[in-house]
Amino acid sequence: MILLAGPEKTGKSRVAAEGTASELLGMTYWIEIGGSEGTADYYGRIPGANYEIVPHDGSYQDILDAVRWAVAQPPAVEGKRNMIVLDNVSVLWDMLSDEQALYARWRAQKKAQENRRPGPNPDLPITVDPDLWNRAKDRWGEILWLLRRHSGPTLLLARQELVTAFENDKPTRDKTRKIKAEKNLPAAVDAIVELHALGEAYLTGVRTLHWEVTPGQSERFEDFSIDALLRRMGFQEAAAARQVTEARPEAYLDEQQAQRQRSQQERQQRPQQERQQQRPQQRQQRPQQGQGLTGDQAVELIRRALADENNPEAALQNIREQWGIVTLQQLQTRTEAWGEMSADALITRSLAYAKGRAEEKRKQADQGAGQAPSTPPPAAPSTPPGQAPTAPPSTPPVQDQPDGAREHQAHQDLEPPAEDDAPPPPDPEFEEPPADEHPEEVSEAEEPQAAPSAPAAPAAPRPTRRNRNEALALKALTAEADVQARLKMMTVGEHLGPISEAGDPPMTVLRDYLQQHRPEIIAQLEREGQTELAAYYRKAPTVDPQIQQRFASYFEGAPAGK
């Protein structure tokens, strides 16, 4: 990881673009943030420049998806690793700071409304509480966490400013250079190069055994280039991947919770095994971190999600949360039923298919509870549309690729399903009708009785209420998990990670896990002044079907940055 810092217009982006022509590198992925938009496109005319621009919409989550996608790309050239350019990290840190400032102002306005007093002055700055700064640092750390798992070099561009030097907390007449980014960034990189002017480079910090440097002094770097820096740092002899072990302060809390849950889980182990034997669940196997998702893997994941007997729609949404929309949109797949499309479009079509299949099952159950249907229902497909022929591994395409971009390998087709069994693909615009439109159940006393003279007709089989009650309970627990994840500023997959390592957790484990996190959420609501919502959540039942409605006003009032 190399930090290239300097004042405005000192050639940082140009040096980065020229460095992509190095013979040590395969492909370079360039991620532009904020005011640097258009720079990479302009410098693409430099002779020998070889990089692709990764698109995003400017939000933190989309930038995070772009970094995750770039890190997961396999080497474009055999024996040569890829490079990632982040231009620039100063704008990224400014964006994270602005997010917390907006959230602090929204929090102050909401608290003033609850206390019926005037809100903060819009012309004056507002104080950002320490907990919000910690949140910004966590989001910054997630970007660095992904970059540290990149097997090739990473080039971070940052602005540098001349500021007044302080001595004993008092300003002096001297000036010093300060990198405009999160203050711990210099400690996280392997080399720091400062550009004081065009063509004037100084090495101010490095971690290497291939270069004799003088401690405590900045060294002038004559004829500086990214290729020269990599060679002097011994990049040719570097290992294919570095060993990274992150600090985990939350492990202590996990250990304490595990001790409290151990006895309860031992009592529940036997009934859980019996339920799993009666209703086996297919587990989604995700590729290891750092490996790219290929077309056949995406089709297989979608096929398994459609085969989920409990909630195929949630399983499809989990694929989007795991890989990110950017990666899925760039990945091309092919199915026999629907042809070629991106993995994200295939998930959308599969969601519509799953909704149609669920509606058909509900109609059949309603007809069975009332009167027999006049015409037989359409035959269910032997295999879901998602069960398509697999394809050989291929790298996900990038839109608007420059010359020399890689071509995708053709997918091999297997034998298509029988035309008599496979229905036409469902309409993507299909909308599931409201749940309250199906016929209500009536008691035996309200059912019409047969006339005395007529023979009694056999009673139609009635659906059991046990499966329906379990589905409603699981839906309520899933909704509560979504509420807790949004309050903790993370995805549902990250929140339920400790209990989802082996797949979807049983309903009893999910219920206990959410109960253990309730005190933490209640304390957070009280800190934010949400006393009524905290009181409701403290008295809420273990399974509360109304939890999303009760928290709807809270989330609707939050700013978009949240």
Side-chain angles (χ1 to χ4, degrees), residues 40-68:
D41 190 36
Y42 178 74
Y43 284 129
R45 292 178 288 181
I46 295 178
N50 180 29
Y51 56 87
E52 297 178 3
I53 303 175
V54 184
H56 59 84
D57 61 7
S59 65
Y60 169 78
Q61 288 296 337
D62 215 38
I63 294 173
L64 186 66
D65 283 346
V67 174
R68 182 184 291 112

Side-chain angles (χ1 to χ4, degrees), residues 6 29 39 71 76-77 83 103 131 139 180 191 195 272-273 347 359-360 365 383 392 463 535 551:
Y29 298 100
T39 302
V71 171
V77 180
M83 183 171 73
Y103 188 84
D131 66 312
R139 292 160 79 85
K180 188 172 178 60
L195 299 179
Q272 288 175 7
Q273 293 177 352
I347 291 178
E359 176 66 14
E360 183 63 29
T383 57
F551 278 87

Side-chain angles (χ1 to χ4, degrees), residues 93-287:
W93 178 247
D94 288 342
M95 183 191 73
L96 296 176
S97 302
D98 292 341
E99 283 182 354
Q100 305 313 315
L102 290 174
Y103 188 84
R105 184 171 295 277
W106 170 82
R107 176 190 287 180
Q109 291 175 350
K110 192 172 184 64
K111 188 173 183 179
Q113 292 176 359
E114 293 176 354
N115 297 333
R116 297 182 179 180
R117 57 179 177 81
N121 190 337
D123 298 329
L124 297 178
I126 193 168
T127 302
V128 180
D129 296 331
D131 66 312
L132 297 183
W133 283 121
N134 292 335
R135 182 180 300 176
K137 288 179 178 291
D138 290 342
R139 292 160 79 85
W140 170 272
E142 193 168 1
I143 296 286
L144 294 184
W145 185 87
L146 288 174
L147 292 176
R148 277 194 289 267
R149 275 144 186 80
H150 178 47
S151 60
T154 299
L155 188 57
L156 307 177
L157 277 58
R159 292 198 307 269
Q160 193 177 50
E161 300 176 343
L162 287 175
V163 297
T164 301
F166 280 75
E167 183 177 356
N168 298 328
D169 296 334
K170 294 182 180 181
T172 64
R173 295 182 179 181
D174 299 331
K175 297 291 184 179
T176 183
R177 296 179 180 271
K178 180 181 179 181
I179 298 175
K180 188 172 178 60
E182 202 273 330
K183 63 181 181 180
N184 295 319
L185 177 61
V189 299
D190 299 302
I192 304 174
V193 179
E194 297 182 1
L195 299 179
H196 293 180
L198 290 173
E200 184 180 353
Y202 291 87
L203 180 71
T204 61
V206 66
R207 182 189 298 120
T208 181
L209 297 175
H210 299 75
W211 195 349
E212 294 296 334
V213 294
T214 304
Q217 295 184 7
S218 298
E219 180 177 339
R220 178 69 182 267
F221 201 125
E222 301 292 345
D223 299 330
F224 170 72
S225 67
I226 299 300
D227 181 78
L229 178 61
L230 291 176
R231 292 181 185 276
R232 295 185 68 176
M233 293 179 65
F235 177 69
Q236 312 93 299
E237 304 174 9
R242 66 170 65 188
Q243 179 69 27
V244 179
T245 302
E246 301 287 348
R248 298 178 57 245
E250 75 282 357
Y252 176 73
L253 294 178
D254 296 341
E255 180 182 355
Q256 299 299 318
Q257 293 176 359
Q259 292 178 356
R260 291 192 296 266
Q261 294 176 357
R262 186 173 295 111
S263 59
Q264 184 176 2
Q265 290 179 354
E266 290 177 354
R267 294 193 300 267
Q268 296 174 351
Q269 185 175 3
R270 181 174 298 177
Q272 288 175 7
Q273 293 177 352
E274 295 176 356
R275 285 194 295 268
Q276 290 176 358
Q277 293 175 358
Q278 296 174 0
R279 187 178 56 188
Q281 299 178 354
Q282 296 189 7
R283 309 296 186 185
Q284 296 183 2
Q285 298 180 356
R286 63 183 67 178

Side-chain angles (χ1 to χ4, degrees), residues 461-535:
R462 307 187 66 184
T464 61
R465 305 179 64 91
R466 178 178 179 182
N467 294 338
R468 182 178 179 184
N469 292 338
E470 290 182 356
L472 293 175
L474 181 60
K475 181 178 181 181
L477 293 175
T478 304
E480 183 174 359
D482 178 71
V483 169
Q484 290 187 358
R486 295 181 64 181
L487 285 169
K488 298 179 70 174
M489 302 294 290
M490 60 176 59
T491 64
V492 178
E494 294 173 342
H495 179 44
L496 301 182
I499 60 174
S500 303
E501 295 181 354
D504 296 335
M507 186 165 58
T508 54
V509 175
L510 175 60
R511 178 197 62 197
D512 297 338
Y513 183 79
L514 297 177
Q515 287 291 317
Q516 293 167 3
H517 282 75
R518 281 193 177 186
E520 178 183 355
I521 300 301
I522 293 172
Q524 177 180 342
L525 293 173
E526 291 177 344
R527 288 195 301 268
E528 297 178 1
Q530 300 288 339
T531 54
E532 295 183 1
L533 197 57

Side-chain angles (χ1 to χ4, degrees), residues 480 484 514-515 518 522 532-548 550-551:
E480 183 174 359
Q484 290 187 358
L514 297 177
Q515 287 291 317
R518 281 193 177 186
I522 293 172
E532 295 183 1
L533 197 57
Y536 149 73
Y537 198 34
R538 184 180 291 106
K539 299 179 181 180
T542 304
V543 179
D544 188 1
Q546 304 296 329
I547 189 166
Q548 278 191 329
R550 296 300 297 268
F551 278 87

